[in-house]
Amino acid sequence: MGFVGDGSCSSSGGDKGGCFIGGMKSLVRRKQVDSANSKSSSTSGSSHQLAKALTIPHLITIGVGSTIGAGVYILVGTVAREHSGPALTISFLIAGIAAALSAFCYAELASRCPSAGSAYHYSYICVGEGVAWLIGWALVLEYTIGRSAVARGISPNLAMLFGSPDSLPSFLARHTIPGLNITVDPCAAILVFLVTGLLCVGIKESTVVQGFVTSVNVCVMAFVIIAGGYLGYKAGWPGYELPVGYFPYGVDGMLAGASTVFFAYIGFDSVASTAEEVKNPQRDLPMGIGFALSICCSLYMLVSAVIVGLVPYYAMDPDTPISSAFASHGINWAAYIITIGACTSLCSTLMGSIMPQPRILMAMARDGLLPSFFSDVNKRTQVPIKGTIATGLLSGTLAFFMNVEQLSGMVSVGTLLAFTMVAISVLILRYVPPDEVPVPSSYQEAIDSVRLRRSSCSSSSDMDVEKTKIPAVTSGDSTPLLGEISVGHPLAEKAAAKLSYLVSQRRKVAGCTILFICIGVCIVTSAASIVNLSNPARYALSGIGGLLLISGLIILTCIDQDDARHSFGHTGGFTCPFVPLLPIACILINVYLLINLGGETWARVSIWLVIGTCIYALYGRTHSSLKTAVYVPSTHVDEIYETSAISLAC
């Protein structure tokens, strides 16, 4: 029947080989999609759940506010001068399409598995505990560094509203500690603490405030589009009337610009982190993610189209491209409006980067991988206040003492790893969804009861089958062609065995194909990114990787997707289109961007991941809620819970 444990070693065995095997099995154990049964069993001892308070407008607010940061006010000038030229709008479009690939994957998993944890949660269900831990740990780093960097970027923009970078009041202004060469930023720390306090009030209240701040930012961008469009129309769009044409750096430059501006779309994944707090996740989460990304892409494209038309790309100010473009047409006062937009966008992004981390920590603590301190939900506000305060204090302290701009590349690693793993999870969901799920060992009596019941039913069914006769196949004169063949006939048994073998092999073929696709992606992207590689080696690696990639795509396209995908998680939500092509393209793009982040960034991230691995080995692996779980066929889960409920009622 397939009822098995998790394979962990016993404490009294002393068998190192068994412990090693048990430790390796713990890396690939997968948890169950949260259902009514699993939630009731896993949270029976917990105090409260998160509030179901969010709807589509709230999700759009979170998505847009977390995505559109102050970077767009600088990115336009830098990318146009160095990469895209007037084709900056196309760069934003291509980057938006690339981000949409990840958004499609997120939308399906978020609607099927609407629980806190985002990519960590999906990886745990589809891939395994070890990978899920690393994804969650990388996301913790991303949000910690990200919000500290955002907070330290607010004070210079606030100072500009008062006339100069040094015009903030003394208690808010930056100061350098003599002898230590440390520049402290009280304004950044205070803002982090204020936002943390706001998030502790409640998810709906904080989202309303974020909606107001985001609306101000969107209005500023609308001003840039409308006023800039009017100025460009009057001036005849001088930025487009150039002898070098629309692609001064060629198509390669435009694509390089798209790779750079892709990171301007990072943030919509914050919507998925609030899945457990959405009233109708199957409908609202896909729509919230889709609308947020569409709004961001439209605003980016319109702003870039206007600005590169106002000023020739080579004459843009790389630090203040938008305000200097208006100033070149005599609108100097626009700098104040644009600075307001930069401040509000940073504040909104700060809220969007603080919100997800306590929920990811809460999901990891629920699974036993972190102390239960992080899983406590406040009774009144229905928010993980302890985790929110702890992460807020850490980020506020970091923002106060440390300039994290040199660590900003580490933010992208967590996001791109999450994007990659979400796309892989979609392939697993479609072709090799988990056929065994964990049930708490407290249900052992119900498990044994179901096992005995199904064994007896199977035995009686076999006896009935042996007595059953297949009607003879006859010709026109009623003469039997094959005669009577019982189901127990060797030919029938052989055909049934062959069919069963093919079905089991289909899963193995699909699983191996997904693995080879990932290997092919790594080979192709490495060959394209390593600058010191000789051309023959580059062509050879590209050929090998391309062969694996294309062969995998063809195989997955030709074989059937698993029927179990229809019953995986919550049904009735969004379905990712163009599978397997779309997830594979998503994996390819994200891995390419990951490899190109640079060796220094990866060295820093590797230290963080090594620390996380040690914590998992010493604490998470031994405290996991799946350590004593019993794995049963997914088709038997409901029957086991029903049997347990009946026995308790009796």
Side-chain angles (χ1 to χ4, degrees), residues 209-231:
V209 175
Q210 188 179 19
F212 172 76
V213 177
T214 302
S215 298
V216 175
N217 182 30
V218 171
C219 289
V220 171
M221 298 185 77
F223 165 79
V224 172
I225 294 167
I226 296 172
Y230 174 73
L231 292 175

Side-chain angles (χ1 to χ4, degrees), residues 156-222:
N157 284 280
L158 281 176
M160 292 301 296
L161 290 177
F162 295 94
S164 69
D166 302 321
S167 56
L168 279 178
S170 179
F171 72 96
L172 293 177
R174 291 181 177 179
H175 302 281
T176 301
I177 300 177
L180 296 179
N181 197 26
I182 295 177
T183 301
V184 297
D185 193 337
C187 180
I190 291 173
L191 286 171
V192 171
F193 296 148
L194 287 176
V195 171
T196 300
L198 176 62
L199 291 173
C200 290
V201 173
I203 182 67
K204 192 171 183 178
E205 292 77 5
S206 60
T207 305
V208 170
V209 175
Q210 188 179 19
F212 172 76
V213 177
T214 302
S215 298
V216 175
N217 182 30
V218 171
C219 289
V220 171
M221 298 185 77

Side-chain angles (χ1 to χ4, degrees), residues 197-278:
L198 176 62
L199 291 173
C200 290
V201 173
I203 182 67
K204 192 171 183 178
E205 292 77 5
S206 60
T207 305
V208 170
V209 175
Q210 188 179 19
F212 172 76
V213 177
T214 302
S215 298
V216 175
N217 182 30
V218 171
C219 289
V220 171
M221 298 185 77
F223 165 79
V224 172
I225 294 167
I226 296 172
Y230 174 73
L231 292 175
Y233 175 76
K234 285 182 61 179
W237 299 107
Y240 293 120
E241 298 294 333
L242 300 174
V244 293
Y246 197 68
F247 297 91
Y249 297 101
V251 176
D252 291 340
M254 183 266 295
L255 294 176
S259 298
T260 303
V261 301
F262 174 84
F263 297 101
Y265 289 96
I266 288 178
F268 69 85
D269 55 320
S270 297
V271 178
S273 68
T274 63
E276 197 170 318
E277 295 156 284
V278 179

Side-chain angles (χ1 to χ4, degrees), residues 619-631:
Y619 182 89
R621 185 180 66 84
T622 57
H623 289 77
S624 171
S625 59
L626 299 183
K627 183 181 179 182
T628 59
V630 180
Y631 282 79

Side-chain angles (χ1 to χ4, degrees), residues 340-358:
I340 291 173
C343 291
T344 55
S345 64
L346 282 168
C347 291
S348 181
T349 304
L350 180 62
M351 295 181 66
S353 60
I354 291 179
M355 184 187 300
Q357 184 172 353

Side-chain angles (χ1 to χ4, degrees), residues 351 504 539 602:
M351 295 181 66
S504 63
Y539 296 147
W602 272 108

Side-chain angles (χ1 to χ4, degrees), residues 155-520:
S155 52
N157 284 280
L158 281 176
M160 292 301 296
L161 290 177
F162 295 94
S164 69
D166 302 321
S167 56
L168 279 178
S170 179
F171 72 96
L172 293 177
R174 291 181 177 179
H175 302 281
T176 301
I177 300 177
L180 296 179
N181 197 26
I182 295 177
T183 301
V184 297
D185 193 337
C187 180
I190 291 173
L191 286 171
V192 171
F193 296 148
L194 287 176
V195 171
T196 300
L198 176 62
L199 291 173
C200 290
V201 173
I203 182 67
K204 192 171 183 178
E205 292 77 5
S206 60
T207 305
V208 170
V209 175
Q210 188 179 19
F212 172 76
V213 177
T214 302
S215 298
V216 175
N217 182 30
V218 171
C219 289
V220 171
M221 298 185 77
F223 165 79
V224 172
I225 294 167
I226 296 172
Y230 174 73
L231 292 175
Y233 175 76
K234 285 182 61 179
W237 299 107
Y240 293 120
E241 298 294 333
L242 300 174
V244 293
Y246 197 68
F247 297 91
Y249 297 101
V251 176
D252 291 340
M254 183 266 295
L255 294 176
S259 298
T260 303
V261 301
F262 174 84
F263 297 101
Y265 289 96
I266 288 178
F268 69 85
D269 55 320
S270 297
V271 178
S273 68
T274 63
E276 197 170 318
E277 295 156 284
V278 179
K279 291 182 178 179
N280 186 354
Q282 280 70 47
R283 182 198 66 185
D284 295 354
L285 279 170
M287 294 183 70
I289 293 173
F291 282 132
L293 190 60
S294 300
I295 292 171
C296 293
C297 185
S298 300
L299 289 173
Y300 285 154
M301 291 178 63
L302 290 171
V303 168
S304 61
V306 168
I307 298 305
V308 297
L310 284 177
V311 180
Y313 71 93
Y314 53 80
M316 282 188 176
D317 188 324
D319 297 322
T320 57
I322 298 180
S323 56
S324 62
F326 276 86
S328 67
H329 290 267
I331 313 295
N332 293 299
W333 51 266
Y336 292 97
I337 297 178
I338 293 163
T339 303
I340 291 173
C343 291
T344 55
S345 64
L346 282 168
C347 291
S348 181
T349 304
L350 180 62
M351 295 181 66
S353 60
I354 291 179
M355 184 187 300
Q357 184 172 353
R359 286 151 179 82
I360 292 175
L361 294 174
M362 181 187 71
M364 298 173 76
R366 282 178 176 176
D367 297 328
L369 305 184
L370 287 176
S372 59
F373 170 87
F374 295 104
S375 63
D376 291 342
V377 177
N378 184 266
K379 176 181 178 181
R380 184 176 61 84
T381 63
Q382 294 182 281
V383 169
I385 286 185
K386 292 181 180 179
T388 302
I389 293 176
T391 56
L393 289 174
L394 174 62
S395 297
T397 304
L398 190 63
F400 180 76
F401 284 106
M402 185 177 180
N403 185 3
V404 294
E405 289 182 0
Q406 65 272 22
L407 305 179
S408 58
M410 300 171 70
V411 176
S412 304
V413 172
T415 300
L416 293 175
L417 282 175
F419 283 6
T420 303
M421 199 50 56
V422 166
I424 294 173
S425 297
V426 169
L427 291 177
I428 293 174
L429 184 157
R430 294 297 190 91
Y431 291 96
V432 282
D435 53 0
E436 290 183 341
V437 295
V439 173
S441 57
S442 58
Y443 287 84
Q444 186 64 56
E445 185 177 346
I447 293 171
D448 294 338
S449 175
V450 172
R451 177 174 55 191
L452 291 173
R453 187 186 313 146
R454 286 187 172 267
S455 298
S456 61
C457 290
S458 177
S459 300
S460 61
S461 176
D462 291 342
M463 294 177 62
D464 293 338
V465 166
E466 290 179 359
K467 299 177 182 178
T468 303
K469 303 292 184 179
I470 295 179
V473 181
T474 60
S475 62
D477 58 358
S478 300
T479 303
L481 295 178
L482 298 176
E484 287 186 298
I485 303 176
S486 71
V487 174
H489 192 278
L491 291 176
E493 291 178 353
K494 186 177 181 180
K498 187 175 182 180
L499 179 62
S500 176
Y501 175 78
L502 291 175
V503 170
S504 63
Q505 289 300 108
R506 190 209 63 78
R507 287 180 61 90
K508 291 181 180 179
V509 169
C512 291
T513 302
I514 294 172
L515 176 61
F516 288 141
I517 286 173
C518 295
I519 295 173

